[in-house]
């Protein structure tokens, strides 16, 4: 079992920045690839970013590429999502998730999920 707890998201302004963190406990965090997903009201949960267990490879949705950065600190069992140049359309509930093996974009392949944290971006 892996338990994931996201930090409070918060309110940001368009053009501003926010950073999310997700703390993991339970089984060996460093053996899991980690992903971030988001879900806007009335929409499906979409892939945002993912990172290899080593931190050596990262993947991004086109909508956030160049603005968001995923990183991890295996010594702290934590994965981060740095969000820059925020847009109102980034408003959503953000979820971190863990998958054994290589990072993937398909949410159905992730085994463990955090409870989600609200991010709201005002224009």
């Amino acid at each position: 079992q892996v338990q994931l707890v996201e930090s409070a998201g918060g309110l940001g302004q368009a053009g501003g920045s926010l950073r999310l963190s997700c703390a993991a406990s339970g089984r060996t965090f460093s053996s899991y690839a980690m992903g971030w997903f988001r879900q806007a009201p009335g929409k499906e949960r979409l892939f945002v970013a993912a990172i290899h267990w080593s931190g050596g490879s990262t993947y991004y949705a086109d909508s956030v590429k160049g603005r968001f950065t995923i990183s991890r600190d295996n010594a702290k069992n934590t994965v981060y999502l740095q969000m820059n140049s925020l847009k109102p359309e980034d408003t959503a509930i953000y979820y971190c998730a863990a998958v054994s093996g290589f990072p993937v974009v398909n949410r159905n392949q992730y085994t463990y999920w955090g409870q989600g944290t609200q991010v709201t971006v005002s224009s």
Side-chain angles (χ1 to χ4, degrees):
Q1 284 279 6
V2 175
Q3 291 80 42
L4 302 173
V5 179
E6 295 100 340
S7 62
L11 177 64
Q13 289 190 329
S17 299
L18 287 172
R19 188 173 85 153
L20 303 180
S21 61
C22 173
S25 60
R27 288 193 171 184
T28 307
F29 172 74
S30 61
S31 66
Y32 287 86
M34 299 296 296
W36 284 96
F37 291 77
R38 66 186 183 186
Q39 188 167 17
K43 301 290 182 65
E44 64 179 329
R45 192 173 299 186
L46 298 175
F47 171 77
V48 174
I51 187 167
H52 190 264
W53 64 265
S54 68
S57 299
T58 56
Y59 308 87
Y60 298 94
D62 288 343
S63 59
V64 306
K65 200 172 294 182
R67 300 188 300 120
F68 289 11
T69 302
I70 187 172
S71 62
R72 66 190 295 161
D73 185 338
N74 287 341
K76 296 182 177 179
N77 285 3
T78 301
V79 62
Y80 305 95
L81 185 68
Q82 178 66 43
M83 303 184 292
N84 298 330
S85 302
L86 287 167
K87 302 177 180 180
E89 51 263 44
D90 293 322
T91 295
I93 298 174
Y94 284 71
Y95 299 87
C96 67
V99 59
S100 180
F102 290 94
V104 294
V105 301
N106 185 341
R107 66 178 185 269
N108 295 321
Q109 294 182 258
Y110 284 77
T111 306
Y112 303 105
W113 290 85
Q115 81 285 359
T117 187
Q118 177 70 48
V119 170
T120 303
V121 182
S122 61
S123 58

